[in-house]
Amino acid sequence: MDTFSLLEREWRGFAAHVLQAGARTAIDVGCGRGALSGALALHGRLQTIGYDWSEAAVAVARGSLSHPLLSFETHDFGMPVRPTGVQPGAVDIVCCRFVLQYLDLPAFIANARCLLRPGTGTVYVLTQVREEMAKHARGGEGLPRAVIAELRGAWPAAPVWPLTRRGEVVAVALGDPRRAGS
C-alpha cells in the first residue's frame, strides 16, 4: 500500500488505464477522508478537488491532507447542480470510488461527460460487484454485473480489471466517447 492506503494493485491499474500524458485535473466524487484525492495530487501530480456530501468527511480530509495541488469541497452529486470549482469541459479525470451505486447513474454520467475535457477525459469507477458480494456472504452491495456491462457499452474504451481474486471489486476506466476514432 502507498502513502494514502490505496491498494497497490488499484494504483497500478489506474496508472495504466486512466492516467494519460497531459492529464492535469481530476475530481474525486465521494472522496470521504480523501485517500484517492491525495494520491491523485501526490502521485499523479494532478490538480485535484475531492468532493463529498458530508461536511464532516471534508473537514477530516482537509485536516489530514495538505498538498498544493489538492483541495476539498462539499457537494452532493445526488443533486442536479454542478459542483463549484470546475468548469464544463475542464476535467481530465472524474473518479467515483465506491459511490456510484448510491447516485442516479444516468444523471451522474451526463454530468461527468459535461465536465470531461473533450477528447481526453476518463471516468474512473471502482465498485463492488453485487452478485459476487452476495456469493461470498458480504451482502448485496455494489452494482449488478448487467449495469457495469451497460455502462461499459456506452463508451468506446472501457477496460475493466479486478482488484480482488474473486472479482468482488472491479475498476473500470470509461474513455471519453468524443475521442472515438481518434
Side-chain angles (χ1 to χ4, degrees), residues 12 19 24 60 79 99 104-105 115-116 127 129 139 171 173 181:
R12 280 194 319 256
L19 280 180
R24 298 181 309 251
V60 168
M79 303 300 288
V99 296
D104 175 337
L105 187 59
L115 294 174
L116 289 176
T127 186
V129 180

Side-chain angles (χ1 to χ4, degrees), residues 1-8 11 34-36 38-39 42-43 64-65:
M1 287 197 215
D2 71 20
T3 309
F4 293 96
S5 301
L6 282 177
L7 295 172
E8 185 178 325
W11 189 254
L36 179 61
L42 181 66
H43 300 302
S64 61
L65 299 170

Side-chain angles (χ1 to χ4, degrees), residues 126-147:
L126 184 69
T127 186
Q128 296 163 313
V129 180
R130 185 174 294 168
E131 294 87 347
E132 294 303 318
M133 294 300 290
K135 265 191 222 177
H136 302 292
R138 294 193 176 122
E141 296 280 324
L143 293 174
R145 267 194 207 104
V147 171

